[in-house]
Amino acid sequence: MSKTSIYGLTFSELQAWLVEHGQLRFRAQQVWDWLYKKRVDSFTGMKNLNKDCVELLETHFHMTTLEQEIRQESSDGTNKFLFKLADGNIIETVLMRFHYGLSVCVTTQVGCNIGCSFCASGLLTKSRDLTAGEIVEQIMHVQKFLDEKGKGERVSHIVVMGIGEPFDNFDHLMNFLYIMNDSQGLNIGARHITVSTSGLAHKIYEFADKDIQVNLAISLHAPNNELRTSIMKINRAFSIEKLMESVKYYLDKTNRRITYEYILLQDVNDHKQEAEQLANLLYNHRHLAYVNLIPYNTVDEHIQYQRSTKESIQKFYETLKGRGINCGVRWEQGADIDAACGQLRSKQLKKQQAAKK
Ligand code: SAH
Ligand code: SF4
């Protein structure tokens, strides 16, 4: 019998599982206390469980399947973790410090099939989806790392913006969100959690219908189809029109603000004309829109792209502002430690391949 991660079960799934296996319902509360409040590392450490229950859990579940391979700390306090999964695949997770709290960026897939032309994660096609347990474990590992420092620091925010397309792993993503948001667990507020998608419109409808108040970010990166298709091939399947229809549904249903991510690539999508087009595109629902301008992090393999200059970034920002669009520039964290999405992982894979030769 193959074991799965205990962290992959929502509270009600664990309750049902325990009852099915002859245990009392309230054991679920005890197990979750040990997992998420006391944060023990083994089932035997769950002191108020009887021996039978501990044995049952040990037979069916793992507690940790991630192994930390590397941790890099940047001068601005950003920590980047590289983990080896049970099957040998590697993924990365990033802890960032902001004035409002501690935010963790999680990975949802091993690689990514969307293949955006500027991204390090898409250099390698997806080999598999992560399970909900593997996504939860990334947060737990970082929280335990903070616990060890003894300062009482808590992961307060989550961004689902690491390697992978979260909406291409929808069910596991949803379980991860429910587990993180559960008041009986880590109790991270839904409004403190953001999921970023490259624009899988059919999943935006589905996400809008879920009863969880998690924030949505859409990686737009271009205001017209021609340009968007040239840098993001997903735009062939979900054009800007299709995307905007799903956005309308989402806004009508939730009345929650959407963040639009826009990477600034020098001389590709950073002209005044694109800023104007972007403003036009978002104008009708500007009260529920925020544009996050992201200065491009160069990726060795994508030599065709350069980061826009400070002046063009500033101009782009001002054009949007001038048209009444809420926006800001996201200056990167951890610039000295391979900050771009998927960069540390791709470097490590190259090292491993070189070592094999
Ligand atoms: N697949 C999802 C979530 C992960 S990518 C998505 O695309 O939205 C998270 C964000 O990082 C996206 O907005 C993505 O476009 C951006 N990104 C990718 N490569 C980057 C790079 N080299 N520099 C800056 N941002 C990058
Ligand atoms: Fe995948 Fe997002 Fe990278 Fe595009 S930007 S390749 S969707 S991880």
Side-chain angles (χ1 to χ4, degrees):
M1 182 177 32
S2 71
K3 292 191 198 180
T4 55
S5 170
I6 186 79
Y7 290 106
L9 272 63
T10 61
F11 187 74
S12 51
E13 283 171 350
L14 180 62
Q15 257 181 343
W17 190 92
L18 285 166
V19 171
E20 230 172 75
H21 289 78
Q23 295 292 322
L24 295 167
R25 238 177 127 70
F26 79 91
R27 292 266 178 242
Q29 183 65 61
Q30 293 178 324
V31 173
W32 263 45
D33 267 355
W34 289 110
L35 288 177
Y36 296 106
K37 302 262 160 67
K38 304 190 185 88
R39 299 192 277 274
V40 290
D41 283 322
S42 69
F43 292 112
T44 43
M46 301 184 170
K47 301 285 183 219
N48 57 358
L49 298 189
N50 59 36
K51 212 166 145 252
D52 285 358
C53 188
V54 170
E55 273 172 20
L56 183 70
L57 292 171
E58 272 182 334
T59 316
H60 290 85
F61 298 105
H62 283 297
M63 266 196 77
T64 41
T65 57
L66 303 188
E67 209 180 295
Q68 184 180 308
E69 287 259 294
I70 296 177
R71 180 178 66 83
Q72 289 183 339
E73 184 153 351
S74 148
S75 49
D76 64 12
T78 302
N79 273 269
K80 197 148 192 172
F81 300 82
L82 202 74
F83 295 117
K84 187 153 98 191
L85 305 173
D87 63 4
N89 275 308
I90 55 176
I91 58 162
E92 66 186 62
T93 306
V94 186
L95 164 68
M96 293 162 289
R97 289 177 185 276
F98 293 103
H99 65 276
Y100 53 75
L102 296 178
S103 179
V104 176
C105 177
V106 291
T107 285
T108 53
Q109 297 181 314
V110 180
C112 183
N113 275 347
I114 307 293
C116 303
S117 64
F118 45 78
C119 174
S121 299
L123 287 170
L124 295 154
T125 50
K126 178 184 93 173
S127 47
R128 71 171 174 89
D129 290 332
L130 293 196
T131 62
E134 287 167 329
I135 314 176
V136 173
E137 276 188 42
Q138 295 171 55
I139 300 290
M140 294 315 295
H141 187 98
V142 174
Q143 183 56 60
K144 286 178 185 175
F145 161 75
L146 293 169
D147 291 344
E148 274 169 25
K149 295 191 155 194
K151 293 188 198 154
E153 289 182 313
R154 298 281 314 273
V155 172
S156 59
H157 291 68
I158 297 175
V159 287
V160 186
M161 293 189 183
I163 301 162
E165 168 49 53
F167 281 1
D168 183 37
N169 185 13
F170 196 79
D171 295 342
H172 292 156
L173 168 77
M174 288 315 302
N175 266 11
F176 162 71
L177 297 175
Y178 288 130
I179 294 166
M180 289 293 102
N181 182 226
D182 198 317
S183 59
Q184 296 165 103
L186 285 191
N187 195 16
I188 298 181
R191 288 189 175 83
H192 286 189
I193 306 177
T194 303
V195 174
S196 174
T197 177
S198 57
L200 303 192
H202 60 308
K203 292 292 176 187
I204 294 179
Y205 291 96
E206 221 175 308
F207 194 61
D209 288 338
K210 297 285 178 195
D211 53 354
I212 189 164
Q213 311 250 308
V214 166
N215 304 308
L216 177 65
I218 297 178
S219 294
L220 194 58
H221 306 322
N224 65 64
N225 284 321
E226 195 188 341
L227 188 56
R228 193 161 190 267
T229 304
S230 75
I231 58 175
M232 297 178 76
K233 59 181 195 243
I234 187 75
N235 197 64
R236 286 201 198 105
F238 302 103
S239 64
I240 291 187
E241 291 72 28
K242 279 191 188 150
L243 192 54
M244 286 302 153
E245 268 170 44
S246 71
V247 160
K248 186 172 180 326
Y249 180 85
Y250 180 91
L251 295 176
D252 287 346
K253 183 92 201 227
T254 67
N255 205 35
R256 283 203 303 274
R257 189 171 85 161
I258 295 180
T259 296
Y260 300 88
E261 287 156 288
Y262 196 100
I263 292 190
L264 288 159
L265 303 164
Q266 186 172 22
D267 283 334
V268 176
N269 65 353
D270 65 347
H271 312 100
K272 190 171 170 72
Q273 184 194 344
E274 279 99 30
E276 294 282 359
Q277 282 179 359
L278 181 59
N280 292 342
L281 187 68
L282 302 179
Y283 194 77
N284 287 339
H285 44 86
R286 64 191 177 287
H287 303 299
L288 289 174
Y290 178 84
V291 177
N292 207 351
L293 297 171
I294 311 171
Y296 178 61
N297 279 313
T298 47
V299 174
D300 292 349
E301 287 77 359
H302 302 313
I303 44 168
Q304 73 270 39
Y305 297 126
Q306 294 302 318
R307 170 183 291 205
S308 300
T309 60
K310 274 220 162 93
E311 297 74 54
S312 357
I313 296 173
Q314 185 64 24
K315 273 193 196 144
F316 203 96
Y317 170 86
E318 280 164 13
T319 307
L320 289 180
K321 275 271 169 195
R323 294 285 310 278
I325 306 291
N326 299 310
C327 58
V329 181
R330 183 172 81 196
W331 294 106
E332 83 240 89
Q333 294 257 325
D336 49 340
I337 54 162
D338 308 316
C341 168
Q343 248 179 28
L344 177 60
R345 172 174 180 264
S346 70
K347 272 195 188 162
Q348 184 67 8
L349 288 175
K350 269 192 257 166
K351 262 194 222 158
Q352 286 178 354
Q353 277 157 5
K356 272 188 209 149
K357 278 182 192 155

